[in-house]
Amino acid sequence: DGGITQSPKYLFRKEGQNVTLSCEQNLNHDAMYWYRQDPGQGLRLIYYSQIVNDFQKGDIAEGYSVSREKKESFPLTVTSAQKNPTAFYLCASSAAGVGQPQHFGDGTRLSIL
Amino acid sequence: DAKTTQPTSMDCAEGRAANLPCNHSTISGNEYVYWYRQIHSQGPQYIIHGLKNNETNEMASLIITEDRKSSTLILPHATLRDTAVYYCIVRVATGGNQGGKLIFGQGTELSVKP
């Protein structure tokens, strides 16, 4: 089935450690996005990529990094510089074309040990 | 800030139509209205979207007023599995069409009751 796969579902990080969240899509979508959701709040955009080898910062990019070496993959690294990393992280993708909707994965929940 | 206003919560009887309203009085001419829903601990699920005309798919119908300042999502025969938080979103353009981020407000918590 076509879709967006995020792994792992749950992730624990020690203080000072970098961790990488995986996002893979087999929808042949050009654009991919990373959002962060905190309890009881809406989603905030971290990074997005419109095409392979290109990406832009969203509203809360500090402490995060991404890469887009392949069309189907958009991994997110949460660095030790991110002071408040505990959150629910959501990856999305969308097809080319005006107004195309974003489709989401099931998320990764990151917690600090 | 979200550009939409929705009721905080609504109830609906199982098997009845659920009508979820949304106000977006400052919507621009080229902005679409999107509806998503989110069940706890899952990613948002896309439901439907539209620009000017009413839209229908296998999940729901979207009614947009002529002045585009409000819309209504209709779930024709609500089931218990439709219990979720429903978000009405007006898409903001960020660096072109593909970069348009979604701004999720607080949404409407729909409870479908037996």
Side-chain angles (χ1 to χ4, degrees):
Chain A
D1 289 338
I4 301 169
T5 302
Q6 290 188 242
S7 60
K9 191 170 179 63
Y10 298 95
L11 188 58
F12 299 92
R13 193 192 91 170
K14 294 181 181 179
E15 294 280 353
Q17 195 177 50
N18 293 355
V19 289
T20 298
L21 283 60
S22 170
C23 178
E24 303 278 330
Q25 53 98 1
N26 60 4
L27 301 168
N28 200 34
H29 285 172
D30 289 306
M32 297 187 74
Y33 311 80
W34 274 105
Y35 291 87
R36 167 183 171 141
Q37 186 175 34
D38 292 284
Q41 298 188 28
L43 279 64
R44 292 183 289 168
L45 183 66
I46 304 173
Y47 269 97
Y48 65 97
S49 168
Q50 299 183 13
I51 197 169
V52 175
N53 292 322
D54 185 54
F55 49 83
Q56 285 79 42
K57 293 181 178 180
D59 297 322
I60 56 166
E62 186 176 349
Y64 300 98
S65 66
V66 294
S67 63
R68 187 84 187 278
E69 297 176 1
K70 298 186 296 182
K71 187 176 185 178
E72 59 270 22
S73 179
F74 192 39
L76 173 74
T77 296
V78 183
T79 75
S80 57
Q82 171 48 239
K83 298 306 178 190
N84 232 356
T86 297
F88 190 42
Y89 290 87
L90 289 157
C91 178
S93 69
S94 66
V98 175
Q100 289 296 316
Q102 294 177 24
H103 297 271
F104 287 82
D106 278 336
T108 292
R109 193 167 296 279
L110 176 63
S111 301
I112 299 301
L113 291 177
Chain B
D1 290 337
K3 296 178 65 173
T4 62
T5 304
Q6 300 176 251
T8 302
S9 63
M10 292 181 62
D11 290 339
C12 178
E14 188 178 19
R16 308 283 261 186
N19 296 279
L20 290 86
C22 179
N23 287 320
H24 32 79
S25 58
T26 61
I27 191 170
S28 300
N30 60 351
E31 289 180 321
Y32 286 73
V33 179
Y34 297 82
W35 282 84
Y36 286 80
R37 70 183 181 184
Q38 188 174 26
I39 297 169
H40 184 63
S41 295
Q42 295 183 20
Q45 179 188 22
Y46 164 75
I47 301 172
I48 199 167
H49 75 288
L51 182 62
K52 295 180 182 178
N53 300 321
N54 298 337
E55 302 288 344
T56 295
N57 62 20
E58 64 279 3
M59 289 184 68
S61 295
L62 174 60
I63 308 298
I64 302 175
T65 58
E66 195 169 340
D67 63 8
R68 303 211 320 127
K69 292 185 177 181
S70 65
S71 60
T72 301
L73 177 74
I74 301 172
L75 307 177
H77 304 286
T79 71
L80 299 179
R81 287 178 296 179
D82 292 323
T83 294
V85 179
Y86 286 76
Y87 296 98
C88 168
I89 298 162
V90 169
R91 186 171 183 174
V92 177
T94 303
N97 294 327
Q98 299 289 357
K101 64 183 176 183
L102 298 175
I103 301 178
F104 283 69
Q106 294 303 308
T108 295
E109 189 164 0
L110 175 69
S111 296
V112 181
K113 300 181 184 299

